[in-house]
Amino acid sequence: MMTRMPRRDELFRMPADAAQAESAETTSLAQVRDKARNCRACPLWKNATQTVFGEGPKNAKLIFVGEQPGDAEDVAGRPFVGPAGRVFDRALAEAGIERNDIYVTNAVKHFKFEERGKRRLHKRPDSREIEICRWWLTRELDLIGPHLVVALGATAARSLSGRPMPIQRSRGELVPFGANGGRMLVTVHPSYLLRLREEEDRAREFERFVEDLRIVAAA
Ligand code: URA
């Protein structure tokens, strides 16, 4: 039997309901985080352990946006705590940015994967999943009101700008973002560094990543 694809309005149902409820009482980040726990707006919640919402100070000046939680984040319920998170933490430290001072989140809040034996292999979220989950990212941005937003990789850049963005062409540049004088910088995703096979390439690209973060720290 063919499975019927959900209509767009059905996919958006949860955020629309949430938006109505929000007008009255959902105005804090904690409340939005709480609502996101039950998000069913796209099918990714079905296989994921939990929603992985952003974390960090609610008045952070700086927000980092990744792609989606990985295997470790899905289990822990926190962003960037697995292998990519460790690269991220090392680069932050080298650039002089305190992780406790920043808000860290993802464009997509559920882990998308395919099972290969006992392993859960990361699958890239598609444009529809990114678009649907953008509702939550927008709430985070609105409520925190950062001065600077950093897109870690193509998915984050797409979600933040609303269009596909070539990373290598736009990386390391501070560009205007949002209506309140904010700025955005696009750089690579830390897992890109993990995928490089040669030690020499990894060291060079890590340094370039740190250079991008130094621009952020200086701004
Ligand atoms: N990759 C991401 O994009 N986000 C995480 O939280 C972990 C890995």
Side-chain angles (χ1 to χ4, degrees):
M1 196 176 69
M2 285 248 304
T3 316
R4 185 179 70 82
M5 284 297 287
R7 290 193 317 266
R8 196 175 158 80
D9 60 321
E10 289 170 326
L11 285 169
F12 275 98
R13 184 174 302 147
M14 162 65 199
D17 289 351
Q20 276 158 20
E22 188 182 63
S23 60
E25 82 276 18
T26 311
T27 49
S28 81
L29 198 57
Q31 286 168 317
V32 176
R33 175 184 287 111
D34 224 43
K35 285 212 170 289
R37 275 188 234 284
N38 300 317
C39 185
R40 304 285 184 264
C42 83
L44 294 186
W45 66 273
K46 287 184 191 160
N47 296 326
T49 307
Q50 57 192 313
T51 303
V52 179
F53 205 72
E55 68 175 21
K58 58 180 188 297
N59 55 355
K61 304 271 183 289
L62 184 53
I63 294 191
F64 283 82
V65 183
E67 183 194 74
Q68 61 163 348
D71 186 73
E73 289 78 13
D74 172 72
V75 174
R78 298 179 53 211
F80 282 103
V81 293
R86 286 192 282 280
V87 174
F88 181 49
D89 284 347
R90 205 152 48 84
L92 285 175
E94 289 221 10
I97 299 172
E98 262 296 322
R99 178 142 175 181
N100 288 338
D101 291 343
I102 62 175
Y103 188 86
V104 181
T105 191
N106 283 301
V108 170
K109 310 286 194 243
H110 282 115
F111 179 35
K112 181 177 180 182
F113 60 92
E114 80 186 22
E115 270 171 319
R116 202 68 74 70
K118 286 197 174 135
R119 297 178 64 205
R120 302 193 300 169
L121 299 184
H122 162 276
K123 276 187 88 181
R124 231 176 206 215
D126 63 31
S127 54
R128 194 173 59 158
E129 289 149 358
I130 297 169
E131 185 53 37
I132 291 168
C133 217
R134 199 163 170 225
W135 194 88
W136 296 112
L137 180 59
T138 306
R139 299 280 84 67
E140 290 174 293
L141 292 167
D142 286 349
L143 288 163
I144 296 169
H147 294 179
L148 188 48
V149 182
V150 180
L152 298 168
T155 299
R158 183 186 183 120
S159 178
L160 289 163
S161 67
R163 62 188 167 84
M165 270 182 102
I167 299 301
Q168 295 300 345
R169 230 184 302 147
S170 17
R171 76 178 288 182
E173 263 176 53
L174 288 165
V175 295
F177 179 79
N180 301 317
R183 288 187 293 173
M184 173 170 83
L185 181 135
V186 174
T187 185
V188 295
H189 191 283
S191 65
Y192 158 70
L193 306 170
L194 292 172
R195 288 195 301 271
L196 296 171
R197 284 169 181 244
E198 301 296 329
E199 175 60 40
E200 197 183 325
D201 295 340
R202 272 204 304 276
R204 188 194 59 241
E205 288 302 312
F206 180 76
E207 200 39 52
R208 281 188 75 197
F209 182 47
V210 171
E211 278 306 314
D212 287 345
L213 299 191
R214 288 201 179 107
I215 296 171
V216 168

